[in-house]
Structure formats: structure tokens, C-alpha cells
Amino acid sequence: MIYLDNAASTPIHKLVLEEMEPFLKEQFGNPSSIHRYGRKARKAIEKARNQIANLINANPSEIFFTSGGTESNNTALFGVGRQRPESKIITTSIEHDAILEPCKELEKEGFDIFYLPVDKYGLVNPLDLETHLTENTSLVSIMFANNEVGTIEPIFNLAQICKEKNIIFHTDAVQAVGKIPIDVKKLGVDMLSISSHKINGPKGIGALYVKKGISLNPVIFGGGQENGLRSGTENVANIVGFGKACELSKIDFLENSSKMQELSNYLSKKIINEIPHVTLNGHPELRLPNNLHFTFLGVNGEDLLIKLDECGIAASTGSACSVHIQKASHVLQAMGFSHEQISGSLRISLGIFNNLEEMNQTVEILKNVVKELRSVSPLKEKYSF
Ligand code: PLP
């Protein structure tokens, strides 16, 4: 198999697994216990907190563990939003469901949610944000990089606009962490969501960065762990693995991101040169180094995925972290794509373990599969070779 769905999830790094193992076996203590088992677990958690903080240049006390990107986003939105009932929250029309769905809930509670539009590349215009901020705005949440088309948003400018008006700015950086450099202090963001399984760590663990001085209402109540923000006995093994994944991501950052960029440049050029009627979607330059998103006109994306899977390639049409796989991409709709363009879309997301040989094999397989699907398509006259 050639695994090209790293935006959905990544394989666990061998060193991450090694680091986790003792905490699934002999080091099983509860980190809140006083005895040595407990103390060892607590120490491991605090080490991981440091590793995560280090990756994004935060202070360890600003990192709160959650069960993943979804919970981090929910905590940010409900945690800040509910401090000002019925206030205005600004987000975008291309967010992941882990933002859109909590926003719908807040809308039911009387919040005024405004969805900023994007251009044909999926970019938000900072001037649009400026126009829509009001006295009543409590929070702005804009994703760092889009999970479908890979477009990177102007986070520094957007955060700056909010800072000037004293409005809290959150960014869902689940896809961006480990792919592009992130320094929360330089960016001036107030909150930032991270997920471990996108950076070769375990699933079901993530973190929310909350800048010192920002107060949040908890969403989960109980024993008061994570400084009262997120009660529940900590998932020690996962936290340890997440910490290690962040450490490795920092150490290998330049090597990994340039390798993924080279491979995706190579693959993209080859696909565009060797397969007719293909377009690369998303921004041509402001995009994640590991993301390629294409439209193969005259092809149904889901048929394409099934055929690719039969031929040993795992890819995606868009977001796999949603159960609504049937629904047409809201991201491509917001970018103004036609039904035909949406239907023929394919996301290829590379990871740190891909290689050049896999890129060559992918092009050969794609060429054949696209040709075959076009030959039976109702649009075959238009798009045949
Ligand atoms: N936000 C974005 C942009 C994502 O791509 C994803 C997962 O695909 C999530 C949030 C959800 O993260 P998790 O799977 O850790 O809950």
C-alpha cells in the first residue's frame, strides 16, 4: 500500500511507541496519586507538556491536554463564548466540522455566528474580518491551514486585527502543526488547537494552547485536572506519546517539511503534465507542504478512491474526520466550485515516511485509473484522451 492520507491520520512513529509502552504496562499509576507510581506518571505528563510547549514556543503552563483537535476546538469556543452569552463569534465558511458544529450549538444558545467568505483559493481576506468585528464580538476563530485544500490563512494579520480591538483570537492549527513553523508569541494568537495523530503521535490526544491571562469556562467538570479546565484522569501513555511526537517534529522539522515539499512538487508537476483535464485546487503558493488537492474532470471522486484503493493507494476526497462522507465539500462550495469540479476531487496528503518511488508509482496508477473511469463516464466525449 502507498499511504497518501496523512491529513486524515498518520502512522505512529516507532520512537513514539517505544516511549509510550512503559505507561501502558508497568507505569500505570494515576498521576494524582501521592506514591511513586503517581509521581512517575505526573513527571511524564509535565515532560510532555514541555515538549508540546517547545514546539510552538509557548510556556508549559499555557498547554492544556484534551482528547484531540475536536475537543480543543470545542473548549475554545464554548470556554470563551459562554463567558459572554449571546455575543458575536466570527469564524469562516471553510472550517472543519469540529468548529462548525459547536458554532451551530452556540447559535441555538442565542449567539450571533458570522461565517467569513473565502476567495477561489480558500483564502480569508483580513479586511473582511475588520469590517465584521463589532463591540459585541467575543471571539474570532480561523483555521491555520485548511484540511481539504491545504491553503494557509494569514494568521498573523488576522490575529493582529483582533489584538488591536481586544478580541480573543483562536486558530485551529491541527493541520499546520509540524508542517509549517508556528510560534504562538510571534503570531500573537490567544488560543491554538493541536492534535497528536496528525504528527505521528497516538489518536485521542491533543492540546489547547491558552495564552496566560485568558480565562475559559470548563466544558468538562470533575476532579479538577488540567488546572480545572479539563477534569478526568489524564491519558498518560497518550500524553507521553504526543509529547515525543512533538519533540521529534521539532528536531526533524526542516528535514521533514522540505522532503514533503519536494515530493509534493514533484508529484503535482507529474500529475498535471501527464494527465489531461486536471487542476490543482487551493492556493498555488500559500499551501501546506504535504497537501495536494486536484480535480479530475469527468471522474467521480468516490469511484476514483475505490479504484485507487484496489490498486494499493490510500487517498481521500476531503475530510475523513467526519462521518458525513457523502456530503458535498462545504470548503469547495465556499470556494465557488461547480458541482462537476467538486465531484471530481481528490486529496493527496503526504507524510514523513513517503518516498520518490511511491510518487512515481502513484502517477502511473492514477493515469490508468483516471483513463478507465473517464472511458465509462457520461462525460466521456468531453474528457477522453
Ligand atoms: N480540525 C482540523 C482542521 C482537522 O483536520 C481535524 C481532523 O481531521 C480536526 C480538527 C479534528 O481533530 P481530531 O481528530 O484530533 O479530533
Side-chain angles (χ1 to χ4, degrees):
M1 281 303 284
I2 301 176
Y3 186 76
L4 302 177
D5 198 15
N6 290 275
S9 199
T10 55
I12 292 202
H13 198 293
K14 194 171 94 227
L15 298 177
V16 168
L17 202 57
E18 269 174 26
E19 200 89 356
M20 290 171 71
E21 232 181 300
F23 295 91
L24 292 163
K25 292 179 175 166
E26 63 274 17
Q27 302 294 344
F28 56 82
N30 186 321
S32 299
S33 298
I34 305 254
H35 48 66
R36 65 195 61 193
Y37 287 92
R39 289 200 310 272
K40 276 213 160 143
R42 171 62 53 209
K43 203 168 158 203
I45 289 179
E46 296 318 317
K47 179 179 167 194
R49 206 186 299 280
N50 267 289
Q51 289 164 315
I52 292 145
N54 210 9
L55 179 62
I56 58 169
N57 194 27
N59 297 324
S61 61
E62 297 171 316
I63 301 295
F64 296 86
F65 290 111
T66 65
S67 65
T70 301
E71 190 188 317
S72 297
N73 287 346
N74 274 260
T75 306
L77 291 170
F78 289 117
V80 167
R82 284 185 181 148
Q83 292 189 341
R84 269 177 74 183
E86 303 194 356
S87 57
K88 180 172 179 177
I89 294 177
I90 300 180
T91 184
T92 78
S93 47
I94 59 160
E95 299 294 315
H96 189 274
D97 280 345
I99 290 287
L100 296 177
E101 291 299 318
C103 279
K104 275 193 206 158
E105 286 305 306
L106 287 166
E107 216 155 15
K108 287 185 208 156
E109 291 177 20
F111 283 83
D112 170 16
I113 313 284
F114 184 78
Y115 300 89
L116 290 168
V118 292
D119 67 10
K120 64 178 178 179
Y121 300 122
L123 267 184
V124 173
N125 183 344
L127 291 177
D128 277 342
L129 173 62
E130 216 157 359
T131 320
H132 288 96
L133 289 176
T134 59
E135 295 265 294
N136 193 33
T137 308
S138 57
L139 175 68
V140 172
S141 177
I142 298 179
M143 69 196 326
F144 211 121
N146 182 264
N147 50 299
E148 293 189 30
V149 294
T151 299
I152 301 169
E153 301 299 341
I155 295 300
F156 174 78
N157 297 339
L158 297 163
Q160 213 53 31
I161 291 168
C162 291
K163 203 182 219 168
E164 277 160 23
K165 304 222 158 130
N166 247 334
I167 292 166
I168 297 175
F169 183 82
H170 165 255
T171 183
D172 172 353
V174 164
Q175 293 292 341
V177 170
K179 315 297 181 316
I180 50 177
I182 293 182
D183 179 326
V184 287
K185 295 207 171 90
K186 279 196 190 140
L187 284 166
V189 299
D190 297 309
M191 295 188 287
L192 179 142
S193 300
I194 320 178
S195 174
S196 152
H197 73 108
K198 312 287 184 181
I199 55 166
N200 307 96
K203 291 176 186 57
I205 188 78
L208 180 64
Y209 156 77
V210 182
K211 191 168 119 190
K212 189 168 178 244
I214 307 271
S215 102
L216 294 183
N217 288 358
V219 180
I220 297 174
F221 296 85
Q225 289 87 346
E226 294 300 285
N227 232 350
L229 183 62
R230 206 272 185 175
S231 286
T233 302
E234 298 89 337
N235 189 338
V236 185
N238 271 6
I239 288 174
V240 166
F242 179 25
K244 187 68 185 176
C246 286
E247 183 191 281
L248 292 171
S249 182
K250 183 158 172 110
I251 295 170
D252 302 331
F253 180 80
L254 282 180
E255 191 189 327
N256 284 342
S257 59
S258 58
K259 178 184 158 191
M260 289 188 287
Q261 185 71 70
E262 275 167 31
L263 289 180
S264 63
N265 286 350
Y266 178 83
L267 182 62
S268 170
K269 269 198 199 113
K270 234 171 142 51
I271 288 177
I272 288 169
N273 287 339
E274 299 186 22
I275 305 178
H277 309 295
V278 180
T279 51
L280 177 68
N281 306 319
H283 198 280
E285 283 118 37
L286 301 172
R287 62 183 307 125
L288 292 173
N290 69 324
N291 173 293
L292 291 172
H293 188 284
F294 296 102
T295 292
F296 295 89
L297 288 169
V299 171
N300 177 290
E302 277 178 26
D303 294 343
L304 183 55
L305 279 189
I306 293 164
K307 281 271 171 210
L308 286 176
D309 185 45
E310 280 170 13
C311 299
I313 294 180
S316 157
T317 51
S319 174
C321 299
S322 158
V323 287
H324 315 292
I325 45 170
Q326 251 56 288
K327 108 186 155 178
S329 159
H330 65 281
V331 174
L332 300 181
Q333 277 174 343
M335 288 163 64
F337 278 42
S338 69
H339 174 74
E340 193 189 346
Q341 285 171 311
I342 295 175
S343 152
S345 65
L346 177 78
R347 179 184 73 183
I348 292 176
S349 48
L350 305 183
I352 60 173
F353 299 120
N354 287 122
N355 58 48
L356 193 64
E357 173 57 23
E358 290 178 328
M359 301 301 105
N360 287 323
Q361 285 175 6
T362 299
V363 179
E364 287 317 304
I365 292 170
L366 251 179
K367 259 200 264 185
N368 293 333
V369 168
V370 168
K371 191 173 179 181
E372 188 187 331
L373 289 174
R374 279 183 178 151
S375 71
V376 292
S377 157
L379 301 165
K380 85 172 174 212
E381 301 303 318
K382 211 168 154 192
Y383 300 118
S384 60
F385 284 81

